[in-house]
Each structure stands twice: as C-alpha cells, then as structure tokens.
Amino acid sequence: MTFNELLASDDFIIADGAQGTLLYDFAKAANISFCVSSELAFSAPDVVSKAAKAYLEVGSRVICANTFGASRLKLEPLGLDFKAIITENVRLTKAALGGGALVALDVAPLGEQLAPLGTMSFEEAYDLFREIMATGEEAGADLILAETFSDLLEAKAAVLAAKENTRLPVIISMTYEPNGRTFTGTPPSAAALTLGGLGADVIGVNCSLGPADLLSTVREMLRFTDKPVMVKPNAGLPDPTTGVFALTAAEFAKQMKLYAELGVKMLGGCCGTTPQHIAHLINATNGFKPTETSGDIGAVCSAGRVVTFERPRMVGERINPTGKPLFKSALTNGDTSYAMRQAVEQQEAGAEILDINTGLAGIDEAAALRDTVLAVQSVCDLPLQLDSAKAEALEQTLRVYNGKPLVNSVNGDPEVLERILPLVAKYGAAVVGLCLDKDGIPDTAAGRLEIAKRIIEAAETHGIPRDNVIIDCLTLTIGAGSGNAAVTLDTLSFVKKQLGVKTTLGVSNISFGLPNREGINAAFLTLALDRGLTLPIVNPNIEAISTAFRAFAALNGHADEYAEVYSQVAASPKKPASSDILPLFDAVACGLTADATQQTAAMIDSGKPPLQIADEFIIPALDEVGTAFGKGKMFLPQLIKAADAASACFELIRGELLKSGVSQNKGVIVLATVKGDVHDIGKNIVKVLLESYGFAVIDLGRDVPPEKILTAAKEHSAFLVGLSALMTTTLPAMEETVRLLKANLPHVKTIVGGAVLSEEYAKSIGADFYAKDAKEGADIAQRLIK
C-alpha cells in the first residue's frame, strides 16, 4: 500500500516512535560507540534493522530510516559520506520491514539559522535539502518526513526541495514551545497556512512537549488547514538527572486518545517513546476514526502573525515609489532602510497588512521587490501584499517570502491570469483580482461583476480556493465623474452578496485632483466599509483615515480595541515625521540598523560621551525588547534584529573609545556546546545577544571537550563560562565540565542552558546559574558585571 492510499483510507496512519534513543539503547547494550547515529548503518547494521523491526512488530505502518541529521553540512566535516549513509540506512530499513510498512526518509533541520536570523541563504538551504531528498528517493524511500523544524522559512525550503526534485509524498512537521509557538516565534496557524499552501501532503507537530501540552497547538492547526495532520509528541519531558521521560506507555496512550477524538489522521511518538508506547497507542485508538480536516479560513500571514479576512483590515500603502522621491532614490541606490522605516511606522499606526511596490523605471524590479520584502520582513511581522504585475518579480519574491502573502494583482485578461495564477497556486498565496480586462474598466457595477466572476473561475481552475481571492472593485476619482463612487460602492455590494468573496480598494483614488482629500477619503472609506469592503488600501498615518476605520470597527463590535488604541495615543509622545530617521532608542528597539548607526554617529559627532550613549539609549532599548521577549510580546526575530542594531552601534562606540585609549570591553565570556552534542543554534543566539551588550565572547563551537573549555577560560581570563546541551546523553559531559572549572578556576562563574535542562539540575551539578533562554543569559551576565 502506498502512502497516498493510506491517506485515502478511513483508518489512522500509525507512525513509529523515537529512533535515536532506541538506537542508543541497542548500541549501548551491544557495547557499540558512535559519533552520529546515522553511521550505525555501516558500523552496526544489525542495530538499525533491529530498531525498525521493533516498531513493525507493534503495528507501525510508517517507519523512519535512520537518516535524521544526515546532511552534507553535518557529516562531511566528520569525514562521512552523507549520500552513502542515507542510501544504506534506507536500504537496511526497507529490508528489515520486508514490505510490512513504508519507509520514510527522515529529514532534520540543517542546524544553521537562515537569514536574517543567521547567515545561510534560502537557496543554500534548499540545495542541501535537495541533495538529501534526491538521494533518499533514489535509495528507495516511500515518502519524506521532514520533522522538528522551528524556522518556518527553513521548513518552506524543505517542502519546495521535496516537491520540485522528487515524486515522493512529503510530511512537514514543526516543533512548538509551551507558549504555543516555535522557537523562532511561528504560531501553528501560520505554519498550517504556509506549508499546506505549498503542497505538503501532511502537516504536523512533533517533539518538544508531551501530548497534553500540545493539544491547543494542534487545535489551532486544524482550524487553519484542510490537510491531514500528524501528531508525534514526546513522552513528556525528561528528568535531566536520569534521562527518563515522564510518561509511561499507558499514560502516553491515554493522552494521545485525545487526538484520535479530534480526528487527527497520523499518530506516533517522538523523544522518549518506545515500541511499547506505540503498542499502547494503537490499543487506545481502537474504535475511533480520523475525520477529514476542513479548516478554510481566508487569511495571510508572516512567520509570526496571521491576519484573517473575517473582518476589515487596513493595508498600508506607503511602500510605493509613486510620488515619493525619497523612496525612488532609495530604490535606485539599492537602499532598503526607507522601506524598513515605513514598515515599522505603518505597523505602529495600525496597518495589519503592508503593500510592497518597487515598480520604478531603470531598476531591476525583481531584485528590488525581493530585497525589499526580505528587509521589511526582518523588522516587521505584518503579512505583506506583493504589488507587481511582473511574473519574474513575483516568482523571485514568492520563493523567499516567509509566510503566506497576498499577490497584487491579476485582472480579467486571460493572458495575465495564465501568467500569474500558476505562481499563486504553486506558492500557496492569496491573490487580488482587478475588475478590468483588455477593454479597460467597465463603467457599470454589472460589468465589473462579470470580470470578477471570470477571475474567480480562473483561480479555482488553478486550484486556488475562493477564500484566497480578493476582488478589487476599483476606485475612480469623483473629480472625473460624480457617479464613480456609486459604481464602486455598488460593485462592493454585488461582489459580497453574489460571489461571497472578500474585497479591496485603493481608497484615496476617490479624491484624486480634488482639494481637502482627507475628508473625502475618510467619508468614502466609511461608506465602502459599510458596503462590504474587507481590505482598504490606505495611508494609516493619516489620522482622519485611521480614526474613520477604527470608529467603524468600534461600531461593529470592537469598541474595546478603539478604547485601547486611543488611550495609548493619549499617553504617547508624538512620533517624528515619516521622512525623519527614528530616534536611537526606537531604531535599536525596532532593529533598524541604518537609523541606529546614523543616530549614534551623529551623537558622537556632537560630543556626547560614547559610554553615555550606550547607557542611556542602546542598552535600555535592548532591555525593553528583552522584557517584551520574556513576556511573549516579541519573538526571536525581533530580539535578534535589535541585537544586530545594537552591535553595529557598539562598533562605532568601540572605535571612538579606541581613539581615546579607553577600553569598552565589559569582560570575557566563553561559550561552548558540551562534548558529544552537535546542537549550537541556541548558543549562537546567546552569543549575538551578549555581544550586543558589549561583552567579548569566545565561542568554542560544539562538541567541545571539558579540557578545552577550561584552557580557553584560563587563556582569556573569562569571568563567565556558558555551557549548552540539547541531548540528555551529553549531560554527563556538562557535569564534568562544571566540575573541572570549579576545581581549577573557582572564581569563574558557570551558566548552563538547553532544552533538556532545569534549574534543579543546574544546582545539582554545581553550576552557578541556569538560563531558560538567551535573554535571561544576557541578564545574568549584566548582573554579574554590575
């Protein structure tokens, strides 16, 4: 039976449980050591076969090959041939199963952060995944299971690599924190919209938490997808001292029964689960049947925010070169700082989606749109509307956009529809359809309605759901005809009532060529909203417009939001005009590096003491972002961008201090991932944040022996050593490192962190501090200095 046949059946698909811990236990029992588990295919093939058979015997029907983490990036530095390892692991698993279950190529995240969080490009990640997946298909894998992803953009690269380079079904699974978001801040709704739209056959949740703790996460995912859903939780959390996971097989199965009742299609286990856990799971779900998922909410998203079309939303129009000489100049010079600043200001003014238009004669529009979108997404978490009629520009940008965007636009011209709609469908976007065609804009509402019908039919023919189509009813100035407003308003009503789709308008076009435009625009906006306008494209910085929009919302059930916004406005100082760069504090907090460094340089030139600049503006801005991060109001991307901006400012300050012979170095901190552990993303984030606060960081990398850490702490006169571990099997190495440091450098403090650690465990091994995240680590370093 193929995987697609399993999907079409009315039964649950039972996956396997943890592979890594089972292989570790089997290898340990046989007195076999290894560096990475995937190499066991050659050093201990019987162990690999035994693990696969163990899950087959209890009833798993999809079993992973031992290929998690087998990539060129991870294995070549160890002198291992990743293609040979993938091929042999798939072959061994397939032989062990004997056709009794399907073999999933198990694909892990790459272990490097993609830009803007890290330095790896989207295409570099795509190429690495392509190599893995093409090799796995050639080796005979039946499907691809890409799991344990926390970065939505990396997951997108994995799905595209699978869809474009293999014929295999693909499952994509994210891992979530207790706050219901991934480590990088993505909610399950955004993952469902994005990955389902890209064509993944199954989307899912795995690892990190136990079944009960993931229930609300899965419910949200089901609400936003019509794809089958997979759930593979951990057996609870492990005890750091013993490595034993919290849930017995019976307890795990009892909690997993909740997902059977929800109708989740594919069930299995992750860390800490065993064949016994899967056997109990099968027994617990007897008598239940999965239900077809039917999430159909119209929405767009960024990696961190979902905006639904269930109510009107303001679309900010300011990132458009028309009538904006500053933006024209920026586009010509390849400068994205203007667009980044406009994005931040429009978000603060209340926009919930931003239109991005880089159409300017004499530039490479495709590169400009792509680069502007990447820059805006690095500082702003609003979903974006990609405003271009050029297929090349849309293709390049859709590929790297992090989330599900809105494409603006197509029209009723069949050539335009055939050029743009395949791209919208491939990348899972929503699309704006203009009520015009080769013959121009109809001057009646009935004529525009007919074009809207053709656009919707064409979209559905390309597999684009009706709730992903937004109709632009078109606004023509009343200065050219007093009846133009009535035609637009009637079209809004017809589209809403007869076609049942959402609508958009460029509101300010109504007053073109007339005096006192703001008054007309605000009045027209209110009339249009009353007729069914969903996405008004406006300048949210104009008070008359934002007030009219919010007042309409207040009168339609959202008075609490109106009161909250205007109580904050009354308490806040007036912001600078949009043509000005942001003040230093705001620039750092928003992650606007260009503005922050410009303001820092100006303050230095004015004679302000460099350390005073740091103490009064840069560090307080970082503290504010860190506080918001700790409260769950900001997420990792914003934290990293603020840290990057602060680091750039500190470089200027260091340079100025060097001129006067003053040292600005707060102290030296040594960081390392302990011996045997190859995970270092969390450590790398800690490094960025510490450096942004002015500390000198000696990063020893991953898999670092205790002796090397001790030597580095001595040589660099460190006052603090930070140790990271993600695997329970490497915790003894952490304990040994702490012991060695305490015995030889008792004055040096130690701080430990990692997903499998707790404050109790840190105390038990003698560490001075435990940090649950990067910001807490930086706070501890700051307190020690003070």
Side-chain angles (χ1 to χ4, degrees), residues 523-786:
F524 178 66
L525 172 61
T526 302
L527 291 172
L529 289 168
D530 191 51
R531 292 290 195 99
L533 175 60
T534 315
L535 302 178
I537 303 173
V538 297
N539 181 354
N541 296 316
I542 295 176
E543 188 172 347
I545 293 295
S546 59
T547 299
F549 181 86
R550 291 183 176 121
F552 181 87
L555 295 169
N556 283 272
H558 300 285
D560 53 339
E561 295 177 11
Y562 184 90
E564 181 181 355
V565 167
Y566 285 102
S567 64
Q568 291 174 351
V569 169
S572 301
K574 184 176 176 58
K575 293 289 183 183
S578 61
S579 59
D580 297 333
I581 66 171
L582 292 185
L584 179 55
F585 181 96
D586 294 336
V588 171
C590 293
L592 296 173
T593 300
D595 285 17
T597 52
Q598 189 173 338
Q599 291 283 26
T600 301
M603 287 184 178
I604 290 172
D605 290 343
S606 71
K608 196 172 188 67
L611 290 178
Q612 190 176 343
I613 297 171
D615 292 339
E616 291 184 5
F617 300 98
I618 300 172
I619 290 176
L622 277 176
D623 289 340
E624 180 172 282
V625 172
T627 299
F629 175 77
K631 293 179 178 179
K633 295 180 179 180
M634 283 188 176
F635 301 97
L636 187 62
Q638 294 98 322
L639 182 69
I640 294 297
K641 288 302 294 183
D644 287 344
S647 294
C649 295
F650 271 116
E651 283 301 310
L652 295 177
I653 289 172
R654 288 189 191 100
E656 194 65 21
L657 291 172
L658 284 173
K659 293 177 185 176
S660 58
V662 177
S663 173
Q664 192 268 330
N665 180 6
K666 286 185 173 181
V668 177
I669 301 174
V670 171
L671 295 182
T673 301
V674 299
K675 177 66 177 174
D677 203 314
V678 294
H679 302 87
D680 65 353
I681 287 178
K683 171 186 65 63
N684 294 343
I685 293 166
V686 173
K687 175 187 176 183
V688 170
L689 201 56
L690 288 171
E691 288 179 336
S692 72
Y693 274 98
F695 293 100
V697 178
I698 307 301
D699 182 3
L700 300 180
R702 53 195 177 192
D703 190 19
V704 186
E707 297 78 14
K708 185 175 179 180
I709 296 171
L710 174 63
T711 299
K714 285 181 179 177
E715 288 182 354
H716 296 281
S717 301
F719 77 95
L720 179 65
V721 172
L723 303 174
S724 172
L726 192 66
M727 303 162 61
T728 55
T729 54
T730 61
L731 292 181
M734 176 176 281
E735 183 174 1
E736 170 61 17
T737 304
V738 171
R739 187 197 64 76
L740 198 63
L741 287 166
K742 290 296 180 186
N744 292 275
L745 298 174
H747 61 284
V748 174
K749 302 298 182 182
T750 53
I751 179 172
V752 298
V756 296
L757 274 68
S758 65
E759 188 165 2
E760 292 74 18
Y761 176 73
K763 290 178 180 177
S764 74
I765 64 172
D768 296 293
F769 303 100
Y770 162 76
K772 70 178 186 297
D773 54 40
K775 182 57 175 63
E776 188 169 333
D779 288 343
I780 290 168
Q782 287 279 89
R783 289 201 303 271
L784 284 174
I785 286 296
K786 289 178 180 177

Side-chain angles (χ1 to χ4, degrees), residues 281-298:
L281 165 63
I282 292 171
N283 290 333
T285 55
N286 281 339
F288 293 93
K289 294 289 183 181
T291 56
E292 188 172 337
T293 47
S294 57
D296 59 357
I297 295 174

Side-chain angles (χ1 to χ4, degrees), residues 229-265:
V229 169
M230 179 193 79
V231 179
K232 292 184 68 178
N234 288 351
L237 296 175
D239 183 324
T241 56
T242 65
V244 176
F245 281 77
L247 298 179
T248 65
E251 292 167 338
F252 176 81
K254 182 179 180 180
Q255 292 186 15
M256 287 297 288
K257 186 178 177 181
L258 299 170
Y259 295 103
E261 294 169 351
L262 281 179
V264 169
K265 177 68 176 178

Side-chain angles (χ1 to χ4, degrees), residues 411-426:
N411 59 51
D413 183 345
E415 292 182 5
V416 173
L417 292 169
E418 288 307 308
R419 186 169 67 245
I420 303 300
L421 290 181
L423 294 175
V424 174
K426 175 181 178 179

Side-chain angles (χ1 to χ4, degrees), residues 218-241:
V218 174
R219 282 185 173 136
E220 182 179 332
M221 183 170 279
L222 287 166
R223 182 169 172 253
F224 282 86
T225 188
D226 59 0
K227 297 285 185 178
V229 169
M230 179 193 79
V231 179
K232 292 184 68 178
N234 288 351
L237 296 175
D239 183 324
T241 56

Side-chain angles (χ1 to χ4, degrees), residues 361-377:
I363 69 166
D364 181 348
E365 184 181 340
L369 184 62
R370 179 197 65 222
D371 294 347
T372 301
V373 163
L374 290 174
V376 167
Q377 286 209 298

